[in-house]
Amino acid sequence: MQQSKQPLWTKEFIVLTVSNLFLFLELQMILSSIPSYVKNTFHASSVQVSLVTTLFALSAIAARLFSARMLEKGHRSTLIFVGLLFALAGTLGYSVSPTITVLLLMRMLFGIGFGMSSTAFPTMASDVIPSKRLGEGMGYFSLSTSLAMSIGPTIGISMLQYGSFNLLAYTTAAVIVVIFPLAYWLIRTLPKGHIEPPMIPLEEGRKPAFNRKLWVPALLNMLMSITYGGLLGFMALYGDEANLAHPAYFFLFNAVSVLIVRPFSGRIYDKKGAKALLIPGSLFLIGGLLLLSYAHSDDFMYVSALCYGIGFGVMQPTLQTWMIQIVSPKQRGMANGMFLNSLDFGVAAGALILGIIAKASDYAWMYRLSSLFVVLFLLIYVIQIIASRKPKSHVSLNG
């Protein structure tokens, strides 16, 4: 019980959370706005527009494959600063790209940088959080990701609508610049034990192998993220189709829900496990998508956003904490990399798959059909719960 009283809100934890917030805020401001910019500026086809999201995500995934190994070797400072430099160069390159090909190369450069730096921050956070409060701590930490995913698109779409893409690019570049001194303070402040975890009880002389228990939560995270890819890629276009005055406000009301549910969802996880959150959360997610597909007024859209935000707000940190808890401390970089990769892959797949569906029908039907990915999420999770009860596994699905 004494360990549960260890402080959570240390300076290191706060700075890590703020750094992660800025990193994902920069990503989401651009991610939601650049498809519209590419379509209008380069007269791009729907396939080219989807490549803007897909190539970024694939680059980030590739970068994380070697980032996890670098984290295991303790090279976090290199990972963070090189990653931030790549991300900054890619962001500044958007505004001076003369062709769509050059812009796509800038997206790939940004993806590599983002993939490197975004793997380090959650791994460092899981090191500084007291083990008995891991669910609560990661819940608060991942609030920075969810909050950025909710308010970033609102800011980005509004800046593009009322300002210019160059203003948006330079603003997001400035957000990255702010992270540099925060990251420098972290590297200088955190004790060596956090930068390179010593004496982890792994079998001697063996490299940590990939943990196969990560596949199920990673698959579930990908299925959930497919629906978010549909929101990011097509919410502005759906607003035009459904005659919504302020489609960007969907993300703002989504953020309100996330802020409301996140503080206590981590504590529920620590007491009752993943099942108490993932099942009701997925039902809220399905409800939010179906309500959105029938929205023909802003008020109706706000209700759907609140509903979706409740589901997303409890499910995302639950999946991340679950993945961290089923690996050894030295494999946390691997777990966080897998979590973020499945998130990015889901967003990329969602932009591609749901874009094809929208082309064949319309955006309303696209959102209705996207809820089937959450139904599949539920089926896989329930089957896994039933399977885990028959010979009883030493690692509980409930965290």
Side-chain angles (χ1 to χ4, degrees):
M1 294 294 283
Q2 192 174 356
Q3 196 173 8
S4 66
K5 295 180 181 178
Q6 287 181 277
L8 174 62
W9 292 100
T10 59
K11 288 180 183 177
E12 294 81 4
F13 179 70
I14 292 170
V15 173
L16 277 165
T17 304
V18 171
S19 300
N20 195 65
L21 172 64
F22 284 147
L23 183 65
F24 276 86
L25 182 64
E26 192 274 348
L27 166 71
Q28 297 298 327
M29 286 170 68
I30 284 285
L31 194 61
S32 58
S33 311
I34 201 168
S36 177
Y37 169 75
V38 169
K39 187 171 185 178
N40 295 329
T41 303
F42 300 106
H43 308 290
S45 67
S46 57
V47 174
Q48 289 174 318
V49 171
S50 66
L51 282 175
V52 171
T53 301
T54 304
L55 287 178
F56 152 75
L58 293 178
S59 300
I61 290 169
R64 291 197 188 104
L65 294 178
F66 67 83
S67 296
R69 186 56 55 89
M70 288 183 71
L71 286 171
E72 289 164 7
K73 294 179 179 178
H75 302 312
R76 296 187 184 179
S77 58
T78 303
L79 206 59
I80 290 173
F81 289 118
V82 172
L84 289 175
L85 283 171
F86 280 6
L88 180 61
T91 302
L92 291 172
Y94 297 149
S95 60
V96 295
S97 297
T99 65
I100 190 170
T101 302
V102 176
L103 188 138
L104 290 174
L105 289 172
M106 291 299 103
R107 288 296 285 162
M108 293 175 69
L109 179 63
F110 175 79
I112 292 169
F114 179 81
M116 294 171 69
S117 50
S118 64
T119 308
F121 288 136
T123 305
M124 295 167 79
S126 62
D127 286 342
V128 302
I129 296 170
S131 59
K132 292 282 187 180
R133 302 180 69 179
L134 189 61
E136 180 186 1
M138 289 308 297
Y140 282 118
F141 177 81
S142 60
L143 175 61
S144 62
T145 304
S146 298
L147 198 56
M149 292 174 80
S150 299
I151 64 174
T154 306
I155 298 170
I157 293 172
S158 299
M159 287 187 75
L160 190 62
Q161 187 176 359
Y162 300 109
S164 67
F165 183 78
N166 281 356
L167 175 64
L168 176 61
Y170 295 140
T171 302
T172 51
V175 173
I176 294 179
V177 170
V178 172
I179 304 173
F180 278 93
L182 297 175
Y184 179 75
W185 181 87
L186 283 168
I187 298 301
R188 291 289 300 268
T189 305
L190 285 176
K192 284 284 181 185
H194 290 301
I195 295 177
E196 190 168 4
M199 302 204 284
I200 301 299
L202 287 174
E203 295 172 26
E204 292 192 42
R206 298 184 68 174
K207 293 179 182 178
F210 177 77
N211 196 318
R212 286 175 295 182
K213 294 170 189 167
L214 292 171
W215 281 117
V216 171
L219 174 61
L220 297 177
N221 191 44
M222 184 198 73
L223 291 171
M224 180 185 72
S225 302
I226 285 174
T227 68
Y228 192 75
L231 293 170
L232 271 181
F234 306 108
M235 191 61 213
L237 297 172
Y238 176 59
D240 293 337
E241 179 184 276
N243 296 315
L244 301 175
H246 304 288
Y249 288 2
F250 176 92
F251 299 100
L252 191 61
F253 279 81
N254 184 63
V256 171
S257 280
V258 170
L259 280 171
I260 292 170
V261 302
R262 186 55 57 81
F264 58 82
S265 65
R267 287 195 282 269
I268 292 174
Y269 180 94
D270 287 332
K271 289 180 181 177
K272 298 187 177 180
K275 185 168 60 174
L277 295 164
L278 291 182
I279 292 176
S282 59
L283 295 176
F284 272 101
L285 219 60
I286 292 169
L289 290 167
L290 292 177
L291 286 172
L292 177 63
S293 72
Y294 290 102
H296 291 288
S297 69
D298 280 17
D299 290 341
F300 207 85
M301 179 190 71
Y302 300 152
V303 174
S304 72
L306 290 170
C307 191
Y308 186 91
I310 291 172
F312 195 84
V314 301
M315 291 167 72
Q316 189 191 49
T318 297
L319 290 166
Q320 187 172 20
T321 308
W322 177 10
M323 293 176 78
I324 290 170
Q325 283 193 324
I326 58 178
V327 300
S328 68
K330 191 140 188 172
Q331 291 180 312
R332 285 174 179 170
M334 177 196 299
N336 281 309
M338 190 81 167
F339 170 80
L340 293 166
N341 277 346
S342 56
L343 173 70
D344 285 342
F345 187 79
V347 168
L352 212 55
I353 297 168
L354 298 178
I356 293 170
I357 293 173
K359 189 176 180 182
S361 54
D362 57 29
Y363 293 111
W365 267 105
M366 180 198 75
Y367 286 123
R368 283 170 208 149
L369 293 175
S370 74
S371 67
L372 295 178
F373 288 101
V374 192
V375 173
L376 182 59
F377 176 111
L378 261 178
L379 286 173
I380 293 172
Y381 185 60
V382 169
I383 290 169
Q384 185 76 353
I385 291 174
I386 294 169
S388 70
R389 283 176 180 166
K390 298 185 175 161
K392 229 175 182 178
S393 173
H394 67 282
V395 177
S396 171
L397 258 182
N398 293 327

